[in-house]
């Protein structure tokens, strides 16, 4: 149980185009999902907190208009990278906190999406 | 803001030996959680162990145990009887008591020598 999927696992897009990444909780519902970014050989950085039915909360320094987050249902959150540029190339990972859960610490990670912008 | 510091970019240990990975953190909150995550080459994040700040007893999961020193804000991970499958990046992470995301340290690359 407690599986989180991401689609696609790897995407290549041209500079200036937009790309959407999906994060789904397959066997549980999640009010809150998180989006992280990981550059090669670096740590994960929290980008935003996605709450079902409300606007996402972005971390300082993350461009809201570039990284659009939609949490339309209790099992799906999407991250759209708009007008992508090569510097947006990174590994994007989502995580989800189940409801009901064991506590605020419980969260499960997706396998990640590798974005390459050419 | 909370910060997590891992001062060991890389550690190497012989198979079957014991290794300790260090982590310190800074916070002004009283209610929080600490984690160690493993990230193998597949890049899937795997929870190794979790510690609630309000618990005095150190968490243990089979060969993995932590030394949680709340006053010193230290949270080290001990891996006993190291196995080849333990080789990975290990990240220390902090989470506040609310619906917060995780703050990660920079990670420690653990190498297991056969």
């Amino acid at each position: 149980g407690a599986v989180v999927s991401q689609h696609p696992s790897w995407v290549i897009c041209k500079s200036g185009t937009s790309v959407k990444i999906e994060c789904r909780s397959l066997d549980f519902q999640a009010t809150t999902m998180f989006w992280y970014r990981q550059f090669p050989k670096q740590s994960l950085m929290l980008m935003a907190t996605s709450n079902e039915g409300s606007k996402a909360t972005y971390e300082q320094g993350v461009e809201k208009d570039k990284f659009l987050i939609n949490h339309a249902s209790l099992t799906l959150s999407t991250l759209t990278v708009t007008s992508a540029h090569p510097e947006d190339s990174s590994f994007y990972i989502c995580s989800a906190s189940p409801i009901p859960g064991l506590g605020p610490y419980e969260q499960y990670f997706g396998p990640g999406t590798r974005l390459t912008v050419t | 803001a909370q910060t997590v510091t891992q001062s060991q970019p890389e550690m190497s240990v012989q198979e079957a030996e014991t290794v300790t990975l260090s982590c310190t953190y800074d916070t002004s909150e009283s209610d929080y959680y600490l984690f160690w995550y493993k990230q193998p080459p597949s890049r899937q994040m795997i929870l190794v162990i979790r510690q609630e700040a309000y618990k005095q007893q150190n968490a243990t999961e089979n060969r993995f145990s932590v030394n949680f020193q709340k006053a010193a804000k230290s949270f080290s991970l001990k891996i006993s009887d190291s196995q080849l499958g333990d080789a990975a990046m290990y990240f220390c992470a902090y989470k506040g008591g609310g619906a917060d995301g995780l703050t990660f340290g920079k990670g420690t690359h653990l190498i297991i020598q056969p």
Side-chain angles (χ1 to χ4, degrees):
Chain A
V3 178
V4 176
S5 70
Q6 283 185 239
H7 178 79
S9 58
W10 194 354
V11 58
I12 301 174
C13 71
K14 292 186 176 181
S15 185
T17 63
S18 297
V19 61
K20 180 184 289 187
I21 301 169
E22 293 185 347
C23 176
R24 291 182 185 273
S25 54
L26 299 185
D27 49 4
F28 64 94
Q29 294 183 323
T31 303
T32 304
M33 292 184 174
F34 303 93
W35 287 95
Y36 298 86
R37 182 174 184 177
Q38 185 178 31
F39 288 108
K41 298 187 178 181
Q42 293 189 26
S43 186
L44 284 75
M45 294 286 292
L46 179 66
M47 298 175 65
T49 301
S50 168
N51 293 296
E52 188 268 337
S54 64
K55 290 184 178 181
T57 303
Y58 292 82
E59 296 299 303
Q60 192 172 11
V62 177
E63 298 177 62
K64 302 178 183 180
D65 295 333
K66 167 167 277 296
F67 299 100
L68 300 179
I69 292 173
N70 185 297
H71 195 152
S73 76
L74 290 173
T75 59
L76 173 65
S77 176
T78 59
L79 169 67
T80 300
V81 183
T82 63
S83 187
H85 291 285
E87 57 265 31
D88 298 325
S89 298
S90 188
F91 194 66
Y92 294 88
I93 306 174
C94 73
S95 70
S97 293
I99 53 164
L102 298 176
Y105 54 74
E106 187 183 18
Q107 60 180 276
Y108 301 96
F109 282 86
T113 296
R114 178 178 296 182
L115 170 63
T116 301
V117 184
T118 61
Chain B
Q2 295 78 25
T3 58
V4 178
T5 302
Q6 292 180 251
S7 59
Q8 305 154 317
E10 186 173 281
M11 291 283 285
S12 182
V13 64
Q14 290 290 128
E15 192 176 3
E17 296 295 307
T18 295
V19 63
T20 298
L21 308 184
S22 65
C23 172
T24 58
Y25 61 95
D26 189 23
T27 184
S28 58
E29 296 181 307
S30 58
D31 181 24
Y32 55 89
Y33 305 86
L34 297 165
F35 308 82
W36 279 97
Y37 279 91
K38 172 184 178 181
Q39 188 180 44
S42 68
R43 305 187 81 168
Q44 172 71 58
M45 298 296 286
I46 300 168
L47 178 63
V48 174
I49 200 164
R50 177 186 68 238
Q51 176 80 43
E52 292 89 339
Y54 64 83
K55 290 186 177 179
Q56 292 185 337
Q57 188 172 5
N58 288 325
T60 299
E61 289 286 344
N62 300 312
R63 298 183 295 107
F64 300 87
S65 61
V66 298
N67 183 2
F68 174 46
Q69 301 290 325
K70 191 171 183 179
K73 295 180 180 175
S74 172
F75 182 62
S76 61
L77 173 69
K78 185 173 81 171
I79 305 175
S80 304
D81 184 27
S82 298
Q83 300 176 1
L84 294 177
D86 295 333
M89 283 294 294
Y90 285 81
F91 292 100
C92 179
Y94 170 100
K95 177 177 172 58
D100 305 331
L102 296 172
T103 300
F104 287 90
K106 291 188 174 182
T108 297
H109 181 209
L110 178 63
I111 299 168
I112 310 295
Q113 304 280 5

